[in-house]
Amino acid sequence: MPRLVLHIGMSKTGSTSIETTFDASRPILERHGIDYLDMGQNHSRLMTVVATNKVEPLKGDVVRILGIERRDTNYDAATVIGAVRDRLANPRAPTVVISGQGLFRYSREKCLALRDFVGPHFDEIRVVAYLRDPTSWASSRAQELMKRGITQTQLARELDKRPEDAQLLPHYRASVEAYCEAFGRDHVDLRLFDRKAFVKGDLLADFCAAIGADPGLAEALQGSFSNRGAPTEALLLLQAHYDIVEDRLRAAEGAPPRAAAPSLEALTQAAERYRHPSSSFPIRQAIRNIRGTRWSLPKPMLDTIWRHSMDDIEWLRRHLGQPELFAAAYPPAEAPAPAWSPETLEDLARALDEALGDVMVPENRRTRLPAPLRGAQKYWHRVKRLFRRKGRRQS
């Protein structure tokens, strides 16, 4: 019987890059004895259906493979579970790999259900998890949430009011213990997300070593490294645009305006009602990857995150026999102020041109644009003038 490798994340440790590369490289992987489950790129939602026997809204290639609608919740979970069982019973190589960063936060009950499902098909099961220090992980996680419209104020209030449920705490122990209890400590490989700790200083080479692949595999793969972080300037612009859209939606509904100091509950409700539905505006997609100042959470928030994570860190240090684990991550540096450099302005101007070019009209035409587009057009011209002035000062 073959062996199984379960790659469970954690999030913000290059999981998407690994999954994108493996998803695009299945013929190469099979030649090296690796069968990357061909039921989508990220298997998190699929395996959650398996572990809970409940319907999850699926997306990606798996919906085409299974013949269901994207994000449909009316399909039969038993059909999906049967398809996964049949696929695991017919591996295409000695080592099968399943990957999903969403698996890291499984409860003990889910881990046991997952073990019972995959166990009959494999002689050996190995769980691979990457662990990232709490301060850099929290900044990366916060950046992802802020791109979706959640405010930094909401995240700070969560840390203050409900730290046990805060989205910026990594919760190492609960996740690691659940897998160790279900699969056995000897079958759980905990690896540091740190370039200094990677095989050859490379994440892909390190993961190939973790799954037991031959040394030539990493060299044969063409890595696809995605999810590049947004700079401070982009996040400020994104949050300002979310505010504008929220104000407009509130006014259209006759709802109260944004409060000066809303409660955590009000912030959470506003994110769901007024901010998340507008997360796919083209302007947001255009400006999120401009060049700029490296972003980080403010130092007081990082100090709070470290303090709340200390019990988990001490547990990991004892568990791994590494008394200095993550010591280099604290104290964190002060977050740098946005520089608004010429490179940032150049990228911003280009991004706005790409996002608005199709709807902008020559200035000598009298066609009247809708009000939101007129505002965007005026903003675009202000940016161009600012960029020209910067260029003249430098020359």
Side-chain angles (χ1 to χ4, degrees), residues 22 25 28-34 204-205 207-209 211-222:
F22 273 45
S25 309
I28 297 174
L29 291 170
E30 289 181 18
R31 288 198 295 272
H32 287 263
I34 307 295
L204 201 56
F207 183 69
C208 287
I211 66 175
D214 63 77
L217 176 58
E219 297 175 5
L221 294 174
Q222 182 65 43

Side-chain angles (χ1 to χ4, degrees), residues 70-82:
R70 189 174 187 270
R71 297 191 181 278
D72 181 20
T73 56
N74 293 319
Y75 63 85
D76 182 9
T79 301
V80 172
I81 293 171

Side-chain angles (χ1 to χ4, degrees), residues 173-184:
R173 181 171 183 172
S175 301
V176 171
E177 274 192 329
Y179 277 95
C180 288
E181 289 178 14
F183 292 91

Side-chain angles (χ1 to χ4, degrees), residues 25-103:
S25 309
R26 285 191 173 86
I28 297 174
L29 291 170
E30 289 181 18
R31 288 198 295 272
H32 287 263
I34 307 295
D35 178 10
Y36 188 64
L37 185 67
D38 59 346
M39 304 186 83
Q41 173 179 304
N42 179 337
H43 305 127
S44 296
R45 291 177 182 263
L46 180 69
M47 301 316 293
T48 299
V49 175
V50 168
T52 62
N53 195 24
K54 295 179 181 178
V55 167
E56 282 278 325
L58 301 174
K59 60 181 181 178
D61 282 347
V62 68
V63 298
R64 173 185 55 79
I65 294 166
L66 296 174
I68 60 179
E69 293 295 325
R70 189 174 187 270
R71 297 191 181 278
D72 181 20
T73 56
N74 293 319
Y75 63 85
D76 182 9
T79 301
V80 172
I81 293 171
V84 176
R85 183 180 289 112
D86 291 344
R87 178 63 178 82
L88 296 182
N90 295 280
R92 297 169 184 168
T95 297
V96 176
V97 175
I98 294 174
S99 178
Q101 57 265 44
L103 306 180

Side-chain angles (χ1 to χ4, degrees), residues 9 30 147 160 181 199 219 223 235 390:
E30 289 181 18
K147 288 179 185 178
D160 181 49
E181 289 178 14
V199 173
E219 297 175 5
L235 288 175
K390 286 267 187 181

Side-chain angles (χ1 to χ4, degrees), residues 36-331:
Y36 188 64
L37 185 67
D38 59 346
M39 304 186 83
Q41 173 179 304
N42 179 337
H43 305 127
S44 296
R45 291 177 182 263
L46 180 69
M47 301 316 293
T48 299
V49 175
V50 168
T52 62
N53 195 24
K54 295 179 181 178
V55 167
E56 282 278 325
L58 301 174
K59 60 181 181 178
D61 282 347
V62 68
V63 298
R64 173 185 55 79
I65 294 166
L66 296 174
I68 60 179
E69 293 295 325
R70 189 174 187 270
R71 297 191 181 278
D72 181 20
T73 56
N74 293 319
Y75 63 85
D76 182 9
T79 301
V80 172
I81 293 171
V84 176
R85 183 180 289 112
D86 291 344
R87 178 63 178 82
L88 296 182
N90 295 280
R92 297 169 184 168
T95 297
V96 176
V97 175
I98 294 174
S99 178
Q101 57 265 44
L103 306 180
F104 185 77
R105 296 300 300 273
Y106 270 19
S107 65
R108 180 177 179 273
E109 291 71 26
K110 283 186 181 179
C111 289
L112 290 171
L114 184 58
R115 179 202 65 188
D116 292 344
F117 180 84
V118 299
H121 301 285
F122 301 98
D123 281 332
E124 177 190 350
I125 300 174
R126 185 176 181 82
V127 178
V128 175
Y130 283 91
L131 305 177
R132 184 173 180 176
D133 76 81
T135 54
S136 70
W137 180 86
S139 285
S140 183
R141 174 68 172 149
Q143 185 181 103
E144 176 189 4
L145 295 169
M146 290 170 68
K147 288 179 185 178
R148 300 177 188 172
I150 294 176
T151 66
Q152 187 172 302
T153 301
Q154 178 182 340
L155 296 172
R157 294 278 175 85
E158 285 182 356
L159 281 172
D160 181 49
K161 302 295 184 182
R162 295 201 302 259
E164 68 280 0
D165 299 321
Q167 299 178 78
L168 296 188
L169 294 182
H171 302 291
Y172 303 111
R173 181 171 183 172
S175 301
V176 171
E177 274 192 329
Y179 277 95
C180 288
E181 289 178 14
F183 292 91
R185 174 65 185 93
D186 293 342
H187 297 276
V188 178
D189 182 8
L190 301 175
R191 307 175 78 87
L192 296 186
F193 184 75
D194 183 342
R195 190 176 297 277
K196 296 177 182 177
F198 293 157
V199 173
K200 299 182 179 179
D202 178 76
L203 173 61
L204 201 56
D206 193 81
F207 183 69
C208 287
I211 66 175
D214 63 77
L217 176 58
E219 297 175 5
L221 294 174
Q222 182 65 43
S224 175
F225 294 94
S226 53
N227 285 355
R228 184 165 68 92
T232 302
E233 293 85 349
L235 288 175
L236 291 173
L237 289 166
L238 288 169
Q239 289 283 303
H241 191 249
Y242 273 115
D243 291 345
I244 290 170
V245 173
E246 180 179 346
D247 289 341
R248 186 166 70 241
L249 293 176
R250 284 178 176 275
E253 288 187 357
R258 284 184 294 123
S263 66
L264 175 56
E265 291 72 20
L267 286 166
T268 303
Q269 291 170 5
E272 290 293 336
R273 184 168 183 82
Y274 301 115
R275 300 171 82 87
H276 287 181
S278 60
S279 62
S280 60
F281 273 57
I283 185 65
R284 303 218 178 113
Q285 303 301 317
I287 67 175
R288 63 195 300 171
N289 290 322
I290 63 175
R291 289 172 291 180
T293 309
R294 183 180 179 85
W295 187 82
S296 173
L297 284 169
K299 188 176 185 300
M301 284 187 69
L302 293 177
D303 288 335
T304 301
I305 288 163
W306 182 268
R307 185 173 69 254
H308 283 307
S309 300
M310 202 62 226
D311 286 346
D312 275 18
I313 293 171
E314 292 291 356
W315 180 84
L316 273 178
R317 287 172 173 174
R318 294 192 300 271
H319 195 68
L320 297 175
Q322 298 184 31
E324 298 300 315
L325 180 70
F326 300 147
Y330 194 83

